Amino acid sequence: MQQSSIKKETDKYKEILHNKDVNVAYAGKSYVSIRGRAEIVEDMAKKEELWSKAYEKIMQTTYDDPDVILIKVKAEAAEYWESGSLVKNIAFMYKRMTGKDAESAEINETLELDK
């Protein structure tokens, strides 16, 4: 499960209250996209445990702000792309834009997880 912090005053909070289906993406030396169901968590001890100075700077508040909540995502599927070759990335983007599925680009893998 993935957890993230947001404020209640954001559109994302309102979207999750309306529709719990979410996607979480990470881009670094590789790319990961996780599809799952979100749950709003207002556990003060968990917020303190997960909090970092970076969140404080970005959100301009502290973990004990009642407007700060956690989002817990129960992953249902994950997709991974390797980032090695520029040619592979261009082939992947071309196949996506032309309507072919990512599997045919042979640079990613999808894993369906237990629900």
Side-chain angles (χ1 to χ4, degrees), residues 79 81 86-108:
E79 193 166 5
W81 294 267
L86 178 60
V87 173
K88 284 183 178 181
N89 290 335
I90 291 169
F92 170 75
M93 293 306 291
Y94 173 77
K95 289 179 180 188
R96 279 286 211 188
M97 292 186 321
T98 58
K100 297 186 179 187
D101 63 16
E103 190 173 20
S104 66
E106 297 180 2
I107 62 168
N108 76 317

Side-chain angles (χ1 to χ4, degrees), residues 6-14 67:
I6 63 168
K7 288 186 174 184
K8 289 181 184 177
E9 65 195 40
T10 62
D11 289 337
K12 185 57 56 193
Y13 174 74
K14 294 171 191 162
D67 194 38

